[in-house]
Amino acid sequence: TQDSPTVHCTIFEDNKGCINLVNAPKIRPRTKHIALKYHHFRSFLARDKTISIQNVEMSLQLADFFTKGLGDVQFSKLRMMIMGR
């Protein structure tokens, strides 16, 4: 049988609390309500190293272009970054 290919990816996150939560080695009382599937996500960070998380400045978060209502200036800035200009 053939092994499945391993995919490595990077997540760019602008929320430092989220980054701290993902990198925390244990479940804390304030995070125990979070679904098991999110804690499973941590295993790919710690054990497999197939997912890495990098902090990105909020003004440079390209995903905001698709998920938030932005002002004209920020919208234009992110649009140009996505277009590679």
Side-chain angles (χ1 to χ4, degrees):
T1 64
Q2 293 182 347
D3 291 333
S4 298
T6 302
V7 177
H8 295 275
C9 66
T10 302
I11 297 174
F12 297 96
E13 180 60 54
D14 61 0
N15 185 320
K16 290 184 182 179
C18 175
I19 294 170
N20 291 337
L21 178 64
V22 170
N23 290 324
K26 61 182 178 179
I27 298 172
R28 297 194 172 115
R30 295 185 71 186
T31 62
K32 67 181 180 180
H33 69 283
I34 297 173
L36 184 61
K37 64 182 175 180
Y38 299 112
H39 292 294
H40 175 72
F41 174 82
R42 287 185 192 171
S43 69
F44 292 100
L45 290 162
R47 182 186 65 215
D48 299 343
K49 305 264 189 234
T50 54
I51 298 175
S52 62
I53 296 187
Q54 287 188 354
N55 189 18
V56 65
E57 200 174 312
M58 185 186 288
S59 64
L60 301 175
Q61 179 60 283
L62 296 177
D64 288 352
F65 180 83
F66 301 105
T67 61
K68 295 182 180 174
L70 301 171
D72 292 342
V73 174
Q74 184 66 11
F75 178 84
S76 296
K77 177 182 174 183
L78 292 178
R79 182 180 63 191
M80 289 298 147
M81 289 173 64
I82 289 171
M83 294 172 63
R85 296 182 184 174

